[in-house]
Amino acid sequence: MSSTPRPDAPRVGATYRVQVRPGFDLDTTAELADYLADLGVTHLYGAPLLTATPGSAHGYDVVDHRAVNPELGGEAARQRLLRALRAAGLGLVVDIVPNHAGVAVPAANPAWWDVLRRGRDSAYAAWFDVDWDRGRLLLPVLADSPDALDDLKLADGELRYHEHRFPIADGTGDGDPRQVHDRQHYELVSWRRGDAELTYRRFFAVSDLAGLRVEDPEVFAATHELVLRWAAAGEVDGIRVDHPDGLRDPSAYLARLRAAAPDAWLVVEKILEYGEELPDWPVDGTTGYDALAAVCGLFVDPDAQGDFTALDTHLVGRHTSWQDLTHDTKLAAATRLLATELNRLAALAGDVERDAARAGLAELAAAFPVYRGYPPHGARHLAAARAEAGRRRPDLTAALDALTGRLRDPDDELAKRFPQFTGAVMAKGVEDTAFYRWSRFVALNEVGGSPAHFGVPPAEFHRFAAARQVRWPASMTTLSTHDTKRSEDVRARLAVLSELPGRWADLIGRWTVRAPLPDPAFAHLLWQTAVGAWPIERERLHAYVEKAAREASAATSWADPDPVFERAMHDVVDAMYDDRKLHAELTAFAAEIAPAGWSNSLGQKLVQLAMPGVPDTYQGTELWDNSLVDPDNRRPVDFAVRRELLARLDAGPPPPVDADGAAKLLVVSRTLRLRRDRPELFTGYRPVPAHGRAGRHALAFDRGGAVAVATRLPLGLARAGGWGDTTLSLPVHEVTDLFTGRSYSGGQTLLADLLATYPVALLAPTAESVEASS
């Protein structure tokens, strides 16, 4: 299939992410087109559009790849959206989900329903990664009770278990419900057996999401036909690929996708560990978590690492090793949450005794340093994992040697499946567990981040950005997504704490005594989160701490909630609002650090938008947005307020940096518009050094004509007496700051003058000055 993009298709210069969902459907999204064009983006970047599980709030549980989700308005609404986008001069980036499909409501997924009805004989049996050799397809939907099957009923030619419906194979419907159930190609089992005994590959540990076998060309064709038809018709300019690490062969998959959509801007949700490089895939880059870590780290003071380590040790009562913690949480994920997948791998290792194979594979996954290995670097990561696993479990030496030998063979089925396992172990063990347990400094506990690396010095950032310009100039950059643990503005305010380690230690010491919690590590996470998001509605903070504590799986968990601990946890949250002294101190401190947090927010936003790459703005974050983890970050956005503010900015003087967030909207809109209207100013990357005693507080770079300047560590700058005589070397021709409208003649410019109004500046040459200088 060859793609023929429309002649007026805009280059993907900047995207705006909208959580298209029931309640905010395609027609509602179409109404944003003129606003997004005014903001300066070139493309709408939407959530998955294909038919998802009924009521899905996110769309990553596709049940029918043949049609647009009717709950979003269906095909007619998609066409109306396209017309609105084209009228505004915008394009469309779609999100696709190749790794898994939604099976929570079997009747909604025609392929899954047919597999349940016909088993191996189904025309769709090859679609799903099912281990048929182990017997019936196990479905973990029953209550954890020995008599749960007594609630089965027969109705309308189906088996029913409460709200769940299941098909009946031809010729098997005679008898009582239990007898009919026992003749099916599937077996209903307790929900607790889902983590250990299932016979199909899942997305992570989510039994409602069944793995797809898109490595099969027929499955690829059937599940991608509609989206690729849109691309061929010029109705899609970009494709975001969800979770490629879950696929059997991501490289081959992406090669097939690129061949089918050769002109599409193609980015992958690949999470890179610290220092890891994106494989040489036929894509334009990642969805930006690597940029997020680099940019946010710029605004954290590395000098505070020792203070926060000491504080964590004092609060918890012992030193916590990040390496040991993540090993333990990954091992627990491998052997408990992902026991189904581990057991399947162990069964493939027939030359190693079953228990030893299971233990050895779990240790290798727990020690694996990245999500998964890819040629040619996979061998290096496997060797590192073997060495670490052997150090921790010398009793498994023989098993580890045998398993490693198998895993080095690219044609071995064990070697093909193991990388799918290590990615899931990393995600569940680190992102979804360790990030909630290790609370030394939670601004660093972010997807794609490395909490053990405390801050990013400017020189390191410049190296990262320069390399990105050379290798991946069209890779996405982002600061907030639906998967981030905290929004960019919460992290920006938390970064201020790195400039106040002593003050923070005093406060957290007082607060944890006044409102104690049995888990001191989680208490530290809770107080940091509250300060970062304050003021926040009480019910939002209650919902957050419940999710965070259960994800941590230390004092409570999703599977076995501890009511005593959770009551104590909720009591601490209530004390933040009801204890007058605590409430006053928390409110005063949050207000005190908010201006420095705003400075960090503006700085990191400018850097993210102006650096090499295609910048994405997550819905609503063009104003201050103190959101927490999903579903908090999917809350409705008041676009009317944003429209009104943008119109006011275009008509009036620059706004102050205050609580209404107009200053952030100014930075976002002016930077995006410059990138869209004068792309020739963003074709290179060169650090611009600051000279003077406050030079470490400036981060500046020249993109080939446009110069971005940001303030970092604003409290330290104030303590040092401000910018003083610190200067920046600007181009010789006249430039104008897009945020203030002031012009500068080049040469050595005082930062005290340049940043007198805002902590950031975006300088662009006038066309006349460039002409004159040339």
Side-chain angles (χ1 to χ4, degrees):
M1 179 183 297
S2 63
S3 123
T4 53
R6 65 184 191 274
D8 63 335
R11 177 185 65 89
V12 182
T15 60
Y16 188 97
R17 171 71 169 196
V18 174
Q19 289 292 327
V20 186
R21 62 188 186 279
F24 201 98
D25 60 13
L26 292 167
D27 284 315
T28 308
T29 302
E31 295 172 2
L32 300 179
D34 61 335
Y35 166 70
L36 298 183
D38 288 343
L39 190 64
V41 302
T42 63
H43 285 71
L44 168 72
Y45 162 32
L49 302 184
L50 302 183
T51 304
T53 299
S56 174
H58 49 77
Y60 289 97
D61 45 359
V62 175
V63 295
D64 192 341
H65 296 81
R66 302 169 299 180
V68 177
N69 193 345
E71 292 187 329
L72 303 181
E75 174 61 18
R78 186 186 73 89
Q79 290 292 341
R80 291 190 290 272
L81 172 65
L82 288 175
R83 289 195 292 271
L85 293 176
R86 290 182 179 184
L90 300 177
L92 178 64
V93 174
V94 296
D95 196 345
I96 64 172
V97 192
N99 177 70
H100 50 268
V103 297
V105 183
N109 188 324
W112 185 252
W113 184 266
D114 198 73
V115 169
L116 296 185
R117 183 183 174 199
R118 294 185 167 89
R120 289 191 184 199
D121 294 331
S122 168
Y124 303 97
W127 278 40
F128 302 98
D129 195 357
V130 179
D131 186 1
W132 292 106
D133 292 338
R134 289 178 56 197
R136 293 199 287 169
L137 185 55
L138 302 185
L139 304 179
V141 299
L142 300 180
D144 189 32
S145 167
D147 57 358
L149 283 174
D150 292 345
D151 291 333
L152 273 180
K153 292 181 173 56
L154 292 170
D156 300 326
E158 298 173 352
L159 269 175
R160 303 283 177 87
Y161 178 74
H162 300 295
E163 74 277 14
H164 302 285
R165 299 166 48 202
F166 304 95
I168 294 175
D170 294 345
T172 66
D174 295 334
D176 63 40
R178 288 289 295 268
Q179 291 171 329
V180 172
H181 167 265
D182 291 345
R183 300 188 192 109
Q184 301 312 305
H185 297 286
Y186 56 84
E187 178 184 353
L188 307 184
V189 298
S190 164
W191 66 271
R192 285 189 180 273
R193 291 175 64 182
D195 292 336
E197 299 180 35
L198 296 193
T199 50
Y200 62 94
R201 181 173 64 85
R202 306 168 292 172
F203 168 70
F204 295 161
V206 183
S207 299
D208 289 342
L209 298 173
L212 288 169
R213 297 185 60 256
V214 292
E215 64 270 16
D216 184 322
E218 293 184 4
V219 179
F220 176 93
T223 55
H224 290 67
E225 189 274 335
L226 185 58
V227 169
L228 292 176
R229 191 197 315 159
W230 297 344
E235 297 173 346
V236 163
D237 304 304
I239 298 173
R240 181 257 196 197
V241 180
D242 182 68
H243 188 49
D245 275 346
L247 303 177
R248 182 178 176 92
D249 188 346
S251 180
Y253 166 82
L254 292 168
R256 181 175 285 126
L257 182 62
R258 171 56 80 197
D263 298 310
W265 178 63
L266 193 58
V267 290
V268 290
E269 189 204 19
K270 169 62 186 169
I271 298 171
L272 300 167
E273 290 299 289
Y274 184 80
E276 184 185 5
E277 293 286 340
L278 182 66
D280 191 19
W281 288 336
V283 299
D284 292 290
T286 73
T287 52
Y289 290 114
D290 46 345
L292 183 157
V295 174
C296 292
L298 270 173
F299 299 87
V300 173
D301 189 350
D303 294 342
Q305 178 171 356
D307 292 310
F308 275 87
T309 300
L311 174 60
D312 180 72
T313 301
H314 170 71
L315 292 172
V316 178
R318 65 183 185 281
H319 172 70
T320 303
S321 159
W322 174 248
Q323 183 181 12
D324 289 342
L325 172 63
T326 54
H327 170 270
D328 292 347
T329 54
K330 289 171 70 177
L331 188 64
T335 55
R336 298 175 193 168
L337 287 176
L338 300 165
T340 281
E341 290 73 18
L342 178 61
N343 290 338
R344 189 170 184 179
L345 289 173
L348 291 172
D351 53 339
V352 179
E353 190 272 327
R354 182 65 175 267
D355 288 344
R358 194 175 183 278
L361 288 165
E363 281 291 343
L364 287 170
F368 213 79
V370 296
Y371 271 71
R372 64 179 285 173
Y374 296 95
H377 304 299
R380 182 185 71 202
H381 298 314
L382 179 60
R386 167 63 185 86
E388 179 63 11
R391 183 183 73 82
R392 291 181 181 273
R393 291 293 303 273
D395 58 307
L396 292 174
T397 295
L400 290 170
D401 285 343
L403 292 168
T404 304
R406 294 276 305 274
L407 295 175
R408 290 196 187 104
D409 181 356
D411 296 323
D412 194 307
E413 182 67 12
L414 181 64
K416 292 177 180 179
R417 288 189 174 275
F418 183 69
Q420 293 174 294
F421 182 62
T422 61
V425 168
M426 179 73 82
K428 297 306 297 180
V430 179
E431 277 181 39
D432 291 347
T433 305
F435 276 7
Y436 291 100
R437 286 193 191 177
W438 206 49
S439 55
R440 179 179 72 163
F441 187 66
V442 299
L444 303 174
N445 295 17
E446 195 49 85
V447 182
S450 177
H453 293 85
F454 206 99
V456 175
E460 181 179 333
F461 175 81
H462 287 311
R463 288 192 297 271
F464 170 82
R468 186 184 184 86
Q469 175 63 29
V470 172
R471 289 209 63 201
W472 302 104
S475 188
M476 182 182 278
T477 69
T478 192
L479 291 180
S480 296
T481 77
H482 61 281
D483 282 328
T484 45
K485 306 300 183 187
R486 295 164 192 83
S487 71
E488 59 202 64
D489 295 325
V490 172
R491 293 194 304 274
R493 188 190 294 178
L494 287 174
V496 179
L497 300 183
S498 71
E499 298 195 76
L500 297 166
R503 178 85 181 284
W504 177 246
D506 290 341
L507 285 170
I508 196 65
R510 288 209 307 272
W511 292 345
T512 52
V513 168
R514 192 172 182 91
L517 191 65
D519 183 343
F522 188 78
H524 196 200
L525 177 143
L526 170 53
W527 283 104
Q528 288 178 80
T529 301
V531 165
W534 202 263
I536 179 174
E537 296 86 350
R538 186 192 301 237
E539 61 274 14
R540 286 176 56 205
L541 194 53
H542 275 300
Y544 169 79
V545 298
E546 182 170 289
K547 175 170 182 171
R550 292 181 179 182
E551 292 283 80
S553 298
T556 187
S557 68
W558 291 109
D560 296 294
D562 184 321
V564 175
F565 175 81
E566 292 195 1
R567 182 65 263 163
M569 173 182 72
H570 288 297
D571 285 345
V572 174
V573 172
D574 283 333
M576 295 178 181
Y577 299 88
D578 299 334
D579 184 314
R580 296 177 64 181
K581 181 177 174 60
L582 268 181
H583 182 81
E585 288 189 0
L586 176 56
T587 301
F589 182 68
E592 176 189 335
I593 66 173
W598 294 335
S599 175
N600 287 341
S601 291
L602 296 180
Q604 67 181 14
K605 197 65 187 174
L606 173 62
V607 171
Q608 179 244 331
L609 295 178
M611 70 184 287
V614 174
D616 176 59
T617 300
Y618 184 70
Q619 62 176 33
T621 60
E622 62 270 36
L623 294 185
W624 307 137
D625 175 66
N626 288 345
S627 293
L628 301 176
V629 73
D630 171 68
D632 194 67
N633 57 27
R634 298 182 198 267
R635 299 187 331 280
V637 174
D638 191 335
F639 285 104
V641 166
R642 287 157 176 79
R643 285 180 187 274
E644 180 184 342
L645 267 180
L646 186 58
R648 195 192 314 164
L649 288 179
D650 290 340
V657 182
D658 61 17
D660 75 354
K664 188 178 184 189
L665 184 59
L666 177 77
V667 169
V668 171
S669 60
R670 291 345 182 223
T671 308
L672 290 177
R673 290 174 184 178
L674 184 66
R675 289 195 67 139
R676 178 193 63 195
D677 299 339
R678 301 181 68 183
E680 73 277 4
L681 300 180
F682 294 86
T683 56
Y685 188 86
R686 180 180 65 85
V688 178
H691 303 284
R693 59 183 173 81
R696 72 185 292 257
H697 294 281
L699 188 285
F701 52 83
D702 184 341
R703 288 298 321 281
V707 177
V709 186
T711 302
R712 58 187 297 271
L713 312 183
L715 293 186
L717 176 64
R719 287 194 293 263
W723 292 111
D725 60 357
T726 307
T727 61
L728 202 68
S729 298
L730 298 182
V732 294
H733 49 259
E734 185 177 82
V735 294
T736 299
D737 179 9
L738 275 291
F739 305 145
T740 63
R742 289 199 293 266
S743 295
Y744 301 87
S745 298
Q748 294 296 320
T749 299
L750 286 170
L751 280 168
D753 293 338
L754 182 64
L755 303 179
T757 303
Y758 297 119
V760 292
L762 179 62
L763 306 169
T766 62
E768 294 80 6
S769 68
V770 172
E771 212 172 286
S773 66
S774 61

